Amino acid sequence: MKRADVFEFFRRLAEANPHPETELESGNTYQLLVAVVLSAQATDAGVNKATRRLFAEVKTPAQMLALGEEGLREHIKTIGLFNAKAKNVIALSQALVDQHGGEVPADREALEQLAGVGRKTANVVMNVAFGAETFAVDTHIFRVGNRTGLAKGKTPLAVELKLEKVVPQPFRLHAHHWLILHGRYICKARKPECWRCPVADLCAFRPKTPAPAAPPSKAAAATAP
């Protein structure tokens, strides 16, 4: 995608949604970190449903440790891989208490040292909590980057590094949110909804998906043989 097209691509996404936000619910940076860890291979809606009661009770790493692994499992048992995730959340909470005074570090490398926190999770926390211009490449961004020609790469890291190069200001802070939402609601995995896409003319994907056929009207159905 040409540089001018990349600018126009994000300009249109920004015009449609000027203030994009994560769809994960949280009340502070620690809760955000926990929510992102829990969201691996799970939907944001499913995580939010499980964490509403949890976050009403648990707001700090110390409170999570007091709840304990078994208590946490009871809260998140509707989420996939909940046993492993509960173990990781307790471990990262202990590390935050022991090594960071109970605070979430504003440093990607330090975040990646925590149990259950990979580069994508660290990038989300750095962006949402600390305002860093990071690009958290999930399955949606990986698909959109490759499908549109915006940032092609064989791995999430390759796509992330390409986005680092091509995304211009003033779009860098919110770019990954626009791409996630675009992939989640329009540029869907099985059947992209090209007919209602605001950037379809800039996108390399071919052939474009046509609009679904309109159902016959009641009048037409009544007169059909």
Side-chain angles (χ1 to χ4, degrees):
M1 195 179 290
K2 296 177 182 177
R3 182 175 296 182
D5 290 342
V6 173
F7 188 95
E8 180 63 13
F9 182 98
F10 283 105
R11 188 198 67 76
R12 293 183 195 175
L13 295 184
E15 184 177 58
N17 185 5
H19 305 290
E21 296 180 347
T22 178
E23 293 186 326
L24 288 171
E25 297 172 3
S26 64
N28 60 35
T29 303
Y30 171 68
Q31 290 182 342
L32 172 68
L33 173 60
V34 171
V36 181
V37 169
L38 295 178
S39 72
Q41 300 181 51
T43 65
D44 287 2
V47 172
N48 290 339
K49 187 175 180 180
T51 57
R52 282 180 193 129
R53 282 182 57 236
L54 172 66
F55 288 165
E57 181 179 345
V58 174
K59 297 176 174 60
T60 68
Q63 289 174 342
M64 186 69 77
L65 294 174
L67 177 66
E69 188 175 327
E70 185 175 345
L72 176 56
R73 282 200 302 267
E74 282 300 307
H75 278 283
I76 67 170
K77 60 186 178 183
T78 57
I79 301 175
L81 306 174
F82 71 93
N83 282 316
K85 290 177 180 178
K87 192 180 295 291
N88 284 335
V89 169
I90 293 299
L92 74 83
S93 299
Q94 190 68 62
L96 290 176
V97 169
D98 293 344
Q99 301 168 25
H100 301 284
E103 299 294 326
V104 177
D107 178 85
R108 182 162 60 189
E109 289 186 7
L111 287 167
E112 287 187 70
Q113 297 301 311
L114 300 172
V117 179
R119 187 178 180 91
K120 183 192 77 172
T121 295
N123 278 339
V124 172
V125 174
M126 289 299 298
N127 178 270
V128 176
F130 302 116
E133 294 175 353
T134 54
F135 303 90
V137 179
D138 68 349
T139 55
H140 296 301
I141 293 184
F142 186 77
R143 178 176 68 254
V144 171
N146 279 286
R147 181 184 274 169
T148 62
L150 172 69
K152 290 188 174 183
K154 293 183 178 180
T155 65
L157 180 58
V159 171
E160 178 188 337
L161 296 178
K162 188 62 185 288
L163 289 170
E164 285 274 9
K165 284 185 177 181
V166 303
V167 178
Q169 293 291 9
F171 308 114
R172 292 178 65 84
L173 179 61
H174 296 309
H176 95 268
H177 281 128
W178 284 314
L179 294 175
I180 287 171
L181 296 172
H182 188 65
R184 185 173 290 165
Y185 297 112
I186 295 179
C187 197
K188 300 176 181 178
R190 292 186 180 180
K191 194 172 184 180
E193 298 181 0
C194 303
W195 70 90
R196 65 183 192 93
C197 174
V199 292
D201 59 310
L202 304 173
C203 167
F205 179 69
R206 299 289 186 277
K208 303 295 188 192
T209 308
S217 66
K218 290 182 179 180
T223 58

